[in-house]
């Protein structure tokens, strides 16, 4: 049986299935609570508001029963280090230029927000792109040699980072720069080993990326594809595409382990 703290968390969100959804696991069963990865404790605390010391007192007490600050800190650091990877999921949108990936992303974001799912995006662009304009103060700072320039206002802030002959950052390094969200939609990075939904448009007159990319899990297309052995949905059915993205999204930690193999 789950322990008292977990039962309190289940009640706080209205059931086991809802708790599983909020912390990003596919199986709603939460038996054998003391065997789950310690990184999930903070995920449950964030989702339910139940304090981690109640959820897992065995993790947050010293062996002799005292409140040893060093023991608490070591365990806390271990959990916090895994927090992003345990809660944030990632899924890609792949397709030829002109297939409508960006248009699709702009339609998907409101759908996810309406479902209570927070979203961030990561887009791979051509090497010469720029968000700044000559003559602006921030542009002049970079031209003078600054490695990073932060521009801030009451409504938003942005940071521009110049690589200055460094190697291009990989996808996971960039994802690590994001604040925690439920879902990261990645446009591009098609050579990276993580699940993707292919966006295919007949007017492009291009071949499918599938089956040459084994990480393509499904296809959104504006035509019938009877030869494809993957799930295929109408490119205009945004809700169905959102369902597929959620179905095949994986944690950042899963991607890291795949790339390490």
């Amino acid at each position: 049986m789950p322990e008292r703290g977990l039962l309190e968390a289940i009640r706080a969100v209205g059931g086991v299935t809802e708790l599983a959804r909020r912390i990003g696991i596919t199986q709603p069963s939460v038996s054998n609570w003391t065997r789950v990865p310690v990184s999930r404790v903070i995920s449950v605390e964030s989702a339910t508001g139940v304090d981690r010391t109640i959820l897992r007192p065995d993790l947050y007490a010293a062996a002799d029963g005292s409140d040893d600050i060093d023991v608490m800190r070591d365990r806390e650091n271990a959990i916090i280090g895994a927090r992003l990877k345990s809660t944030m999921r990632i899924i890609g949108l792949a397709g030829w230029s002109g297939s409508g990936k960006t248009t699709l992303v702009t339609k998907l974001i409101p759908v996810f927000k309406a479902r209570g799912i927070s979203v961030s995006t990561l887009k791979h662009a051509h090497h010469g792109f720029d968000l700044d304009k000559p003559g602006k103060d921030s542009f002049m700072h970079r031209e003078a040699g600054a490695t990073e320039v932060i521009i801030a206002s009451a409504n938003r802030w942005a940071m521009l980072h110049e690589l200055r002959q460094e190697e291009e950052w990989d996808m996971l390094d960039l994802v690590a720069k994001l604040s925690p969200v439920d879902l990261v939609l990645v446009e591009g990075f098609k050579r990276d080993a993580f699940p993707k939904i292919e966006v295919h448009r007949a007017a492009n007159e291009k071949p499918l990326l599938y089956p040459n990319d084994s990480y393509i899990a499904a296809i959104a297309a504006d035509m019938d594809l009877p030869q494809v052995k993957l799930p295929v949905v109408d490119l205009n059915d945004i809700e169905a595409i959102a369902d597929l993205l959620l179905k095949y999204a994986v944690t950042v930690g899963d991607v890291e382990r795949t790339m390490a193999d």
Side-chain angles (χ1 to χ4, degrees):
M1 285 292 293
E3 295 184 15
R4 181 178 66 86
L6 185 59
L7 290 172
E8 187 173 330
I10 292 170
R11 287 194 295 270
V13 295
V16 172
T17 301
E18 177 61 15
L19 176 60
R21 186 191 72 79
R22 291 196 187 189
I23 64 176
I25 61 174
T26 55
Q27 294 297 326
S29 174
V30 285
S31 59
N32 298 319
W33 170 239
T34 57
R35 295 185 181 181
V36 305
V38 295
S39 58
R40 192 174 296 168
V41 175
I42 284 185
S43 303
V44 174
E45 181 190 60
S46 299
T48 66
V50 178
D51 189 88
R52 68 198 70 173
T53 60
I54 297 174
L55 289 167
R56 286 292 298 272
D58 56 311
L59 289 177
Y60 289 94
D64 61 1
S66 64
D67 293 329
D68 187 295
I69 297 300
D70 290 333
V71 171
M72 294 281 283
R73 184 181 295 114
D74 289 344
R75 287 172 178 165
E76 183 80 348
N77 288 339
I79 295 171
I80 290 174
R83 181 180 184 183
L84 179 64
K85 296 171 188 175
S86 67
T87 60
M88 212 154 90
R89 295 197 296 159
I90 186 169
I91 185 72
L93 289 163
W96 295 99
S97 177
S99 61
K101 297 187 296 296
T102 299
T103 299
L104 180 58
V105 168
T106 62
K107 293 179 179 178
L108 284 164
I109 292 171
V111 170
F112 286 127
K113 290 185 69 176
R115 298 186 186 186
I117 298 168
S118 57
V119 181
S120 287
T121 64
L122 174 59
K123 178 180 171 62
H124 191 270
H126 297 295
H127 70 277
F129 87 98
D130 203 336
L131 302 178
D132 215 351
K133 294 182 180 180
K136 295 292 186 181
D137 292 346
S138 52
F139 186 92
M140 294 168 65
H141 294 175
R142 286 194 296 134
E143 286 291 288
T147 298
E148 292 182 338
V149 175
I150 292 180
I151 312 163
S153 74
N155 295 323
R156 65 187 61 87
W157 67 269
M159 182 171 70
L160 301 172
H161 179 99
E162 289 293 320
L163 290 176
R164 306 287 183 202
Q165 309 305 315
E166 296 175 33
E167 289 186 8
E168 182 178 355
W169 286 31
D170 65 27
M171 183 187 70
L172 289 178
D173 286 336
L174 294 167
V175 168
K177 287 288 186 182
L178 297 172
S179 298
V181 291
D182 297 320
L183 185 68
V184 180
L185 298 179
V186 178
E187 186 180 334
F189 295 93
K190 62 184 179 183
R191 293 182 179 84
D192 286 58
F194 71 109
K196 311 171 189 79
I197 305 300
E198 179 172 354
V199 181
H200 184 75
R201 191 176 295 277
N204 259 11
E205 298 183 343
K206 295 280 189 178
L208 289 167
L209 299 177
Y210 163 85
N212 295 321
D213 184 346
S214 61
Y215 288 96
I216 290 175
I219 300 175
D222 63 352
M223 59 184 294
D224 291 332
L225 298 171
Q227 77 278 17
V228 172
K229 298 179 180 180
L230 297 177
V232 178
V233 297
D234 190 321
L235 188 54
N236 296 310
D237 192 341
I238 306 303
E239 294 284 351
I241 297 172
D243 290 340
L244 281 177
L245 290 166
L246 291 175
K247 178 179 179 179
Y248 291 109
V250 296
T251 67
V252 176
D254 287 337
V255 178
E256 213 168 42
R257 284 187 288 273
T258 300
M259 290 185 173
D261 290 343

